[in-house]
Amino acid sequence: METALAKTPEKRQVFFLAILFLLWENGSEAISYSVPEETENGYLVAHLAKDLGFRVGELASRGARIHHRGNKDLLQLDVETGNLLLKEKPDREALCGETEPCVLHFQIILENPVQFFQTDLQLTDINDHSPEFPDTEMLLKIQESAQPGTVFPLKAAQDPDIGSNAVQNYTVSPNLHFHVVTHSRSDGRKYPELVLDRALDREEQPELTLILTALDGGAPPKSGTTTVRIEVVDINDNAPQFVQSLYAVEIPENSPLNALVVTVSARDLDAGIHGNVAYSLFQGAGGSQPFVIDEITGEVRLKGALDFEATPYYNMEIVATDSGGLSGKCTVAVQVLDVNDNAPKLTISSLTSSIPENAPEAVVAVFSVSDPDSGDDGRMVCSIQNELPFLLKPTFENYYTLVAEGPLDREKRGEYNITIIVSDLGTPRLTTQHTITVQVMDINDNAPAFTQTSYTLFVHENNSPALHIGTITATDSDSGSNAHITYSLLLPQDPQLNLAALVSINADNGQLYALRALDYEALQAFEFHVGATDGGSPALSSQALVRVVVMDDNDNAPFVLYPMQNASVPCTELLPRVAEPGYLVTKVVAVDSDSGQNAWLSFQLLKATEPGLFSVWAHNGEVRTTRLLSERDVPKHRLVLLVKDNGDPPRSASVTLHVLLVDGFSQPYLPLPEVARDPAHEEDALTLYLVIALASVSSLFLLCVLLFVGVRLCRRARAASLGGYSVPEGHFPGHLVDVRGMGTLSQTYQYDVCLMGNSSETSEFNFLKPVLPSSVDQRSGKEIEGNSTLQNSFEFHH
């Protein structure tokens, strides 16, 4: 029987050619053992491990087992000792029937690696059966006219034993008329014939009874007997004769019951009742046969099912007997034709239901196929689905190994349903299918993958502690513990960033929490990496960048830089009375540490001593006059301004300005008339105004200090010239200091300072009322004193 394996575009097929079997036969001969039948179970057949060249215990480590290939389970293998034992008592006749020699084929299969050994067990026959005739009595009708030497066929005894243990000889009980002769058929079986030694006389003895004995060749021999009863009839001198001595016919094994097999025909030359012929099955080899014959017509028909695999041919003898007892005999040889009535059989010897995904050429199954049909009906084709990553590899004598074509990937496919299809080449083709489910076991070959390479999270400042600010998600295409992901915070690259005090992460679900309230003004954003590690061995990991952006809240009120509100002396701004409408009095400068619209500031005038005189620009804080000043306007003004941001809710701060109206500003210090402004240069102009104002105030203050020192020196000199006072060192001039439009006052004032000697005593400093304004002769440039009594306006007494 051959098996072919082929691979077509639709399916992969593996043909196991006969030449491969012949090569294997030459390379590995079968190990043969012989055991007599009926040997008791437990009988030691052989030391198999020694015969195969293995050490004791090696068979167990390699998973040795016996495959019987449909034979009865007769043998058992002790893998620990290597002994091959009989499992039960063998009966050669039941196992092999008439087949000689009786050889049972077994396979020894080893794993790790896969290895096969052919083992043959021959059962030798013993004489355990006695010959047995099919009938306890045989009836012969013999004409009295029969001549000495006439031969009469007898039914042979059946003995299931073979060889010398089968029937070897026949004997008949002593008598005066007959003896028995033993003959051999072509197949070696013995059959008896009764020979007439002395003529019969029906009048003397109408009936004879003989004992026919069959002896086999065993030691000691066994025997069987039957009774031969002979009736002597009147003369009938012509025996029936068949047209053919041998009928050879062929019949398919799937023929229906009662199908005509053959029609035999015999003729008898006698007339009358002695010419009537009756047909009967005389005897067939092998005992009971599935045929029946019509005794009148001679038609042989099928009465039972045929099975080519059980009995491929039949031999039977047909007897034609006339009414006078004469008979003729012919042989019918029936050849059973095989039809494809047996589907291939698949036997799994080894099966692995799960394999690791990275194992190359992993063995999934070891199996064998068989088909008891013959010819093309017994040739087989074995295949699997073409799209699967598996291969069928032939080993020997219809054994195959199903292996993975290469490393598998569980993430692409975790389960395979492999259908092994075995078809014969008969007509029609018969097919057997067997499906194997293979699970691909996962290994940790995939690192966790984040859904994003980087995450940006936004959180408002002043958040509550333990606030959930976002979730970092990673996936792992592995399964089980290999896909269990643990999240962790990685050390930041910036050593000054105390990440552990800012955020924490849930190791199980990747949720991020802010541990404390964040302050936008202190920390606007920070970055760190989050790691994701799976539970495999070895563990695989990946990381993603997380950027946390702190969003500003309106938590800071505006802060006024100018004028300073915490100074000990309120800030006073001077406003000349001749100022034009729109004159810049001052500019309120404020900042807000928030950002965005929370830092957009607007200015508003809340209170004013003279409503309508001043206005504030809402966007830059400039305080300007709205109209010309008049004599009715009070000299001192108090303004309250509100600085407000654009947050929600808005925050604000207030600032108080003191404005003093003056008449003495010289023209160079007055601003030019207001002209149309370019909004783009508004900030530059404001800065320029501030610088000019600061420079003017500083210069004016320095000039006043110098004039004050000069006045003191003049007063000392004047006191010394009067003689009534003791002045310390030097001359103090006696003229008054005249300030005209050069300072911050609006009119001329005179002060008289008197310094008294004797600096060792307690000094007294008196501020007197100002003297009347002095008149100045514009033509001569001389000063005319208004009141001579107030020459000494300031006195120091000791």
Side-chain angles (χ1 to χ4, degrees):
M1 184 179 297
E2 299 176 359
T3 297
L5 186 68
K7 182 175 180 181
T8 66
E10 297 180 356
K11 60 166 59 178
R12 181 178 307 148
Q13 300 180 336
V14 182
F15 284 95
F16 187 64
L17 302 178
I19 188 172
L20 181 60
F21 173 75
L22 293 176
L23 291 176
W24 177 85
E25 285 287 324
N26 293 333
S28 59
E29 296 181 355
I31 303 175
S32 299
Y33 300 102
S34 178
V35 174
E37 67 170 332
E38 302 299 328
T39 303
E40 294 296 329
N41 58 343
Y43 174 79
L44 176 61
V45 178
H47 195 288
L48 185 62
K50 180 178 179 181
D51 294 342
L52 296 180
F54 294 103
R55 297 185 302 274
V56 175
E58 189 173 355
L59 294 181
S61 63
R62 294 190 59 182
R65 63 184 181 277
I66 298 176
H67 179 61
H68 300 279
R69 292 185 56 195
N71 294 325
K72 194 171 182 180
D73 190 3
L74 290 177
L75 298 177
Q76 66 178 4
L77 177 61
D78 189 344
V79 295
E80 299 297 333
T81 63
N83 293 333
L84 187 63
L85 307 174
L86 278 179
K87 191 173 183 181
E88 64 181 48
K89 182 187 297 185
D91 186 356
R92 191 203 67 80
E93 287 74 21
L95 294 174
C96 297
E98 299 177 2
T99 304
E100 179 64 18
C102 180
V103 179
L104 304 180
H105 302 283
F106 303 90
Q107 288 76 39
I108 307 299
I109 303 177
L110 283 75
E111 298 179 353
N112 303 321
V114 176
Q115 194 171 1
F116 301 83
F117 294 92
Q118 179 69 36
T119 305
D120 296 337
L121 178 64
Q122 180 176 355
L123 298 179
T124 59
D125 185 53
I126 64 172
N127 191 23
D128 58 339
H129 295 87
S130 297
E132 185 176 354
F133 287 93
D135 301 316
T136 59
E137 182 181 282
M138 289 186 286
L139 175 63
L140 292 178
K141 293 181 180 182
I142 302 176
Q143 295 286 337
E144 63 178 348
S145 60
Q147 298 297 318
T150 303
V151 177
F152 302 94
L154 299 174
K155 293 182 179 181
Q158 303 296 321
D159 192 341
D161 296 326
I162 60 173
S164 61
N165 294 324
V167 176
Q168 300 295 322
N169 191 25
Y170 291 90
T171 62
V172 69
S173 58
N175 63 92
L176 296 175
H177 297 278
F178 298 92
H179 75 274
V180 69
V181 177
T182 303
H183 295 283
S184 297
R185 293 193 180 98
S186 60
D187 58 357
R189 291 183 176 273
K190 309 292 184 179
Y191 66 93
E193 287 183 343
L194 193 64
V195 181
L196 182 62
D197 293 332
R198 180 181 174 183
L200 298 174
D201 187 356
R202 184 177 180 278
E203 286 70 23
E204 288 183 5
Q205 190 176 5
E207 184 174 306
L208 289 80
T209 300
L210 305 177
I211 303 299
L212 180 64
T213 302
L215 298 172
D216 63 19
K222 294 185 177 183
S223 62
T225 60
T226 186
T227 301
V228 180
R229 188 165 60 89
I230 301 173
E231 292 182 359
V232 181
V233 297
D234 286 340
I235 294 174
N236 181 22
D237 54 353
N238 288 290
Q241 290 184 351
F242 282 90
V243 177
Q244 296 177 228
S245 62
L246 175 65
Y247 291 85
V249 295
E250 295 179 345
I251 182 171
E253 64 174 325
N254 62 345
S255 298
L257 296 180
N258 203 36
L260 179 63
V261 179
V262 67
T263 300
V264 298
S265 177
R267 294 179 298 173
D268 193 325
L269 299 179
D270 292 326
I273 60 173
H274 295 299
N276 296 329
V277 177
Y279 300 95
S280 63
L281 290 176
F282 183 68
Q283 187 179 6
S288 178
Q289 297 186 5
F291 303 101
V292 65
I293 188 169
D294 190 303
E295 63 178 9
I296 297 175
T297 63
E299 292 180 349
V300 179
R301 294 186 178 271
L302 191 64
K303 72 172 183 178
L306 300 178
D307 188 357
F308 171 83
E309 289 72 33
T311 306
Y313 62 89
Y314 293 91
N315 281 324
M316 55 184 173
E317 293 179 348
I318 298 177
V319 176
T321 306
D322 60 18
S323 60
L326 297 180
S327 63
K329 183 178 64 174
C330 72
T331 301
V332 177
V334 180
Q335 177 66 46
V336 180
L337 299 180
D338 184 32
V339 296
N340 192 23
D341 60 342
N342 291 280
K345 182 180 179 182
L346 186 146
T347 304
I348 300 292
S349 300
S350 175
L351 178 63
T352 301
S353 60
S354 59
I355 58 176
E357 62 177 317
N358 64 340
E361 296 189 359
V363 177
V364 177
V366 177
F367 63 93
S368 63
V369 294
S370 60
D371 192 328
D373 293 325
S374 62
D376 287 342
D377 296 339
R379 294 190 181 95
M380 293 168 289
V381 175
C382 188
S383 64
I384 61 174
Q385 302 100 305
N386 191 51
E387 69 276 6
L388 298 181
F390 294 91
L391 293 174
L392 281 177
K393 291 187 176 180
T395 53
F396 78 100
E397 197 176 352
N398 297 336
Y399 273 88
Y400 298 90
T401 303
L402 178 63
V403 299
E405 189 173 9
L408 304 177
D409 190 353
R410 189 205 63 82
E411 288 70 38
K412 292 183 179 179
R413 187 168 179 179
E415 180 180 289
Y416 292 90
N417 290 321
I418 306 171
T419 301
I420 302 173
I421 304 173
V422 184
S423 302
D424 59 27
L425 300 181
T427 303
R429 286 195 174 191
L430 299 180
T431 301
T432 297
Q433 296 185 0
H434 185 82
T435 300
I436 298 174
T437 300
V438 179
Q439 302 287 340
V440 182
M441 296 186 298
D442 182 54
I443 65 169
N444 192 27
D445 57 347
N446 291 279
F450 285 93
T451 55
Q452 301 174 219
T453 57
S454 63
Y455 297 81
T456 301
L457 306 179
F458 297 90
V459 57
H460 284 274
E461 64 173 330
N462 304 316
N463 58 283
S464 60
L467 175 67
H468 176 224
I469 62 175
T471 302
I472 309 301
T473 304
T475 59
D476 196 318
S477 54
D478 292 321
S479 64
S481 61
N482 295 332
H484 183 268
I485 298 177
T486 301
Y487 300 90
S488 61
L489 298 177
L490 303 182
L491 293 177
Q493 297 181 353
D494 186 2
Q496 296 181 355
L497 180 63
N498 187 8
L499 184 62
L502 294 176
V503 294
S504 68
I505 190 169
N506 189 314
D508 296 325
N509 54 27
Q511 293 182 350
L512 285 170
Y513 297 90
L515 296 180
R516 62 178 178 84
L518 301 177
D519 187 1
Y520 173 83
E521 288 71 35
L523 182 65
Q524 285 78 32
F526 59 94
E527 295 179 349
F528 57 92
H529 285 85
V530 171
T533 305
D534 60 27
S537 179
L540 301 178
S541 62
S542 60
Q543 56 180 265
L545 177 65
V546 179
R547 175 178 175 83
V548 178
V549 177
V550 182
M551 300 175 65
D552 182 45
D553 281 345
N554 192 25
D555 58 342
N556 292 280
F559 179 76
V560 179
L561 296 178
Y562 181 83
M564 297 182 63
Q565 298 300 296
N566 57 354
S568 58
V569 178
C571 178
T572 301
E573 300 294 339
L574 302 181
L575 174 63
R577 288 184 177 273
V578 295
E580 296 292 331
Y583 176 81
L584 177 63
V585 178
T586 186
K587 180 175 182 178
V588 177
V589 180
V591 294
D592 194 320
S593 56
D594 292 324
S595 64
Q597 66 178 11
N598 295 329
W600 297 350
L601 301 181
S602 60
F603 300 87
Q604 179 182 354
L605 181 61
L606 291 181
K607 296 180 181 180
T609 303
E610 187 71 29
L613 179 59
F614 299 96
S615 66
V616 178
W617 284 29
H619 299 295
N620 57 14
E622 292 181 352
V623 180
R624 295 179 180 271
T625 57
T626 58
R627 59 178 175 82
L628 290 173
L629 299 175
S630 64
E631 292 297 332
R632 293 190 301 273
D633 292 328
V634 296
K636 292 183 179 181
H637 292 266
R638 181 175 178 271
L639 307 178
V640 178
L641 280 73
L642 179 68
V643 183
K644 182 173 63 174
D645 59 27
N646 197 37
D648 184 19
R651 293 178 176 269
S652 61
S654 61
V655 58
T656 302
L657 295 177
H658 296 273
V659 179
L660 181 62
L661 303 182
V662 295
D663 293 327
F665 270 166
S666 60
Q667 189 64 30
Y669 291 96
L670 293 176
L672 295 174
E674 191 70 27
V675 296
R677 295 178 176 268
D678 184 2
H681 298 288
E682 188 176 15
E683 290 296 328
D684 293 338
L686 174 62
T687 304
L688 179 61
Y689 294 157
L690 289 176
V691 172
I692 294 175
L694 291 175
S696 301
V697 171
S698 300
S699 300
L700 185 61
F701 174 77
L702 181 59
L703 180 59
C704 291
V705 170
L706 292 177
L707 290 176
F708 180 73
V709 172
V711 169
R712 289 189 62 185
L713 293 178
C714 292
R715 289 297 184 185
R716 284 187 180 182
R718 185 177 178 183
S721 63
L722 292 176
Y725 302 97
S726 175
V727 290
E729 299 182 6
H731 174 71
F732 190 81
H735 61 273
L736 298 176
V737 179
D738 185 10
V739 181
R740 302 175 182 220
M742 299 300 291
T744 60
L745 301 180
S746 58
Q747 57 182 340
T748 301
Y749 291 85
Q750 294 180 350
Y751 295 91
D752 190 7
V753 180
C754 179
L755 298 177
M756 299 181 64
N758 194 5
S759 61
S760 61
E761 298 180 1
T762 301
S763 299
E764 181 179 356
F765 185 80
N766 292 328
F767 285 95
L768 303 180
K769 295 181 179 180
V771 297
L772 294 175
S774 59
S775 301
V776 180
D777 188 353
Q778 299 293 336
R779 292 172 297 177
S780 62
K782 295 182 180 180
E783 179 182 291
I784 303 175
E785 297 181 2
N787 190 353
S788 60
T789 62
L790 299 176
Q791 292 180 352
N792 296 327
S793 300
F794 296 90
E795 295 182 358
F796 291 89
H797 301 281
H798 297 277

